[in-house]
Amino acid sequence: MVAYTFQWHVVPESAGALAHGLKLTLQLSAISFALSLVLGLVVALCRLAPSRPLRALAYTYTQIFRALSLYVYVLFIYFGISAVFGINLGTFAAGVVALTLLNSAYMAEIYRAAIQSVDHGQREAALALGLGHTRTFSSVTFPQAGRVAVPGLVNQLVDIVKDSSIVAVIGLLDLMGTTIQLVSTERAPFELYTATAVAYIVLILAISAAAALLERRLARHLRGGGSGPSPLEWMQRYRFGGRVPT
Amino acid sequence: MSEAAANQAAELDLGEEIVVAEGIHKSFNRGHKEREIHVLRGVDLQVAKGEVLVVIGPSGSGKSTLLRCLNFIAPPDAGSVTFLGHCLTGEVPRRRPAERMRYERALRFYRTHIGMVFQHFNLFPHMTAADNVALGPTRALGLTRREAKERSLEELERVGMGEKAGQYPSQLSGGQKQRVAIARALAMRPQLMLFDEATSALDPELIGGILEEMKRLAESGMTMIVVTHEMGFAREVGDRVLFMDEGVVVEEGGAREVIESPQHERTQAFLSAILS
């Protein structure tokens, strides 16, 4: 501590580069999140399908892609696959694929649990009205399951934003990659890592706040006019990804 | 019979059977040796137009399952259901797409023309009362939003829930929920109404209102099959009573006769237990 000279001026000087890295982090996260949302739902529907092979396939998917860490996927996809098949994905695409595979497997489980949580009588009532299976799902089951799934899906988004920093290992200049590069040239690790950490925290708190608003909106019909969860309650609910032990 | 012809037959008051079920069998957990439960063991029933059939029996006797077999929410394993000239079995033709389509269309015909009211209401919690009632007409009958809305308000008005049209189910009492559920079923303009213990989940003081609603419906000429433990209602409103136990029909006859002087031993035991 004593021998260190703070050089906070490095941070505003690097703002441009950091902002560019942040933009890349946002793009990577947003695209991976959107793809995972869709792919996860498809896998969840296969998990619940009447067809046995389809169920087995979806089960295998969720088990395999949840089994390894993102770190392994990124390296495997970027270096491993390209070495064998000669497919050069590029760092951004490799990051998207890795994040999507891992998170869609988690999301499939979130969706599945949410769909199964909807009371069986809801489906019965819709079928009794003459709605087909597709319309029963789209008008009755999914809207209710979706509300249940929102907190879990938001946690997944938080994970994606944080985990996306791992793509720095294949040289993608996202927020983390940019910071690592700047640290090696500017020699101000404390200042730069602090700035980056603050950026991540602000980003994730903003996501949590937006999610809480969304959740309150979706739960309107259950409150009967009362107020939603207090700020403390939703802070607890979105403990920065839901993985911090209480 | 084509759908149009069936509709026509339904409109003409032919005074004949609206629904006939023959040899209905149903098991749950089929194929799992130990957990398999044979709920229905060959049940026959027929209901004529305008008739009110009351189904009574101890819990677990298969009454609710029988209702679910009639509209194929729980398709029977064996036996057939004839409804307004259509005849369906629980066997889905999986191989041939054309037959499959015909089967699905028939299924839709059954369900859109048979209204069902559940013990636990089963209202859609994410929709207002008005939207609950309008869902079937828009998504199953193909009415426009405006037509469905109009019909929805009309039906809610009829059950005394006009003022609650914009409320969500969580804001309604049990009795109010069941009224909305009745309106939801009636908005489909059904030819047959199934009531599955419609008052069993209600607070005692709310039961009378729902029974009154059902009585009014019966008086308007609606064909109804009512599963209930309300013997007063069964005797007063029911035309015929069917007593079920362990998946079979034990006794069947005029409502008054069966309830006041049951012939079968099991019916006597059940009625004396429930009426004491």
Side-chain angles (χ1 to χ4, degrees):
Chain A
M1 192 81 186
V2 189
Y4 196 85
T5 322
F6 286 105
Q7 299 175 277
W8 286 108
H9 61 90
V10 168
V11 175
E13 280 164 20
S14 312
L18 288 173
H20 193 264
L22 179 65
K23 195 176 137 203
L24 213 65
T25 290
L26 289 174
Q27 284 171 343
L28 183 66
S29 304
I31 292 172
S32 305
F33 181 62
L35 290 177
S36 306
L37 276 180
V38 177
L39 193 57
L41 182 59
V42 172
V43 175
L45 291 177
C46 291
R47 274 277 268 165
L48 299 167
S51 152
R52 193 175 287 232
L54 214 52
R55 284 205 306 264
L57 197 70
Y59 177 73
T60 313
Y61 184 95
T62 57
Q63 292 308 100
I64 287 184
F65 289 117
R66 288 190 304 167
L68 296 175
S69 80
L70 188 66
Y71 191 69
V72 179
Y73 284 117
V74 171
L75 293 176
F76 186 77
I77 290 164
Y78 188 64
F79 293 115
I81 303 270
S82 71
V84 176
F85 301 101
I87 305 166
N88 200 339
L89 274 178
T91 48
F92 189 83
V96 168
V97 171
L99 281 166
T100 302
L101 287 180
L102 181 73
N103 285 285
S104 61
Y106 276 109
M107 285 187 188
E109 291 298 283
I110 294 169
Y111 278 124
R112 182 174 66 94
I115 290 169
Q116 286 178 330
S117 78
V118 177
D119 179 42
H120 186 68
Q122 293 291 308
R123 217 180 106 77
E124 279 194 338
L127 291 177
L129 285 173
L131 272 68
H133 289 285
T134 313
R135 283 184 173 173
T136 294
F137 183 76
S138 66
S139 301
V140 174
T141 310
F142 187 69
Q144 297 182 56
R147 194 182 54 74
V148 177
V150 162
L153 296 176
V154 169
N155 278 341
Q156 244 16 75
L157 173 59
V158 168
D159 276 356
I160 288 175
V161 171
K162 291 190 300 180
D163 288 353
S164 69
S165 58
I166 285 172
V167 297
V169 300
I170 53 172
L172 186 66
L173 291 178
D174 70 327
L175 184 53
M176 197 63 203
T178 307
T179 311
I180 293 170
Q181 204 180 45
L182 285 169
V183 165
S184 67
T185 56
E186 303 292 334
R187 311 249 164 222
F190 182 80
E191 296 83 341
L192 286 164
Y193 282 130
T194 304
T196 297
V198 168
Y200 273 115
I201 290 170
V202 168
L203 187 56
I204 278 157
L205 286 180
I207 292 171
S208 300
L213 277 178
L214 173 68
E215 209 190 330
R216 282 177 63 149
R217 251 191 80 84
L218 293 176
R220 259 178 321 183
H221 62 278
L222 297 176
R223 287 202 307 275
S227 63
S230 72
L232 186 68
E233 275 165 355
W234 61 254
M235 285 282 281
Q236 284 165 343
R237 204 170 310 174
Y238 298 109
R239 271 176 274 115
F240 310 143
R243 293 212 177 144
V244 179
T246 36
Chain B
M1 200 188 289
S2 76
E3 201 162 312
N7 273 324
Q8 213 173 16
E11 275 162 31
L12 295 170
D13 192 348
L14 298 175
E16 62 182 28
E17 253 78 56
I18 284 215
V19 67
V20 178
E22 284 173 311
I24 301 290
H25 280 266
K26 176 76 185 173
S27 299
F28 289 117
N29 301 324
R30 245 177 126 201
H32 299 268
K33 270 183 207 158
E34 276 154 34
R35 289 191 296 138
E36 181 167 324
I37 314 162
H38 202 162
V39 182
L40 295 175
R41 300 161 182 264
V43 176
D44 301 323
L45 73 75
Q46 55 285 319
V47 182
K49 189 166 178 62
E51 195 180 23
V52 177
L53 175 69
V54 178
V55 183
I56 60 172
S59 61
S61 57
K63 310 179 298 284
S64 294
T65 308
L66 179 61
L67 291 191
R68 282 166 173 72
C69 282
L70 297 179
N71 61 2
F72 291 81
I73 284 185
D77 301 329
S80 64
V81 178
T82 308
F83 174 67
L84 294 176
H86 287 65
C87 183
L88 276 187
T89 66
E91 205 164 322
V92 186
R94 292 184 194 281
R95 293 278 163 75
R96 300 207 186 113
E99 277 180 34
R100 176 74 189 255
M101 289 257 288
R102 211 172 308 138
Y103 186 87
E104 297 281 341
R105 213 175 311 137
L107 212 56
R108 181 158 305 192
F109 176 83
Y110 276 50
R111 289 173 179 168
T112 50
H113 288 79
I114 300 177
M116 188 161 191
V117 175
F118 301 86
Q119 180 178 358
H120 297 288
F121 329 124
N122 299 5
L123 290 182
F124 308 124
H126 58 300
M127 298 180 190
T128 61
D131 288 341
N132 263 277
V133 180
L135 182 74
T138 46
R139 308 240 66 183
L141 298 182
L143 264 63
T144 65
R145 278 179 167 279
R146 180 187 297 221
E147 288 166 339
K149 187 97 186 169
E150 240 167 66
R151 190 186 279 199
S152 161
L153 293 178
E154 192 183 306
E155 292 299 338
L156 285 171
E157 207 68 63
R158 200 198 300 260
V159 294
M161 294 293 293
E163 285 173 16
K164 303 283 184 184
Q167 307 264 35
Y168 285 98
S170 63
Q171 298 166 305
L172 303 175
S173 73
Q176 292 172 330
K177 282 182 199 169
Q178 200 58 299
R179 283 172 197 274
V180 174
I182 291 172
R184 178 174 70 177
L186 291 177
M188 300 294 288
R189 304 282 144 85
Q191 299 291 326
L192 169 66
M193 282 285 284
L194 310 176
F195 287 87
D196 182 17
E197 298 200 29
T199 57
S200 296
L202 294 177
D203 291 337
E205 76 270 22
L206 301 173
I207 291 174
I210 296 299
L211 291 177
E212 199 54 46
E213 209 63 64
M214 290 162 65
K215 186 180 167 190
R216 216 174 310 159
L217 193 59
E219 281 164 357
S220 76
M222 177 63 75
T223 314
M224 294 163 50
I225 303 179
V226 182
V227 170
T228 187
H229 291 300
E230 300 292 334
M231 292 305 136
F233 175 86
R235 190 168 38 198
E236 191 190 344
V237 183
D239 295 310
R240 272 189 310 130
V241 161
L242 205 126
F243 172 72
M244 284 181 70
D245 194 14
E246 293 179 351
V248 293
V249 176
V250 174
E251 186 166 348
E252 186 179 354
R256 229 167 250 280
E257 293 89 89
V258 173
I259 290 170
E260 284 169 8
S261 51
Q263 299 301 308
H264 200 283
E265 202 179 308
R266 276 194 277 176
T267 321
Q268 291 164 356
F270 173 75
L271 284 171
S272 70
I274 207 170
L275 293 173
S276 62

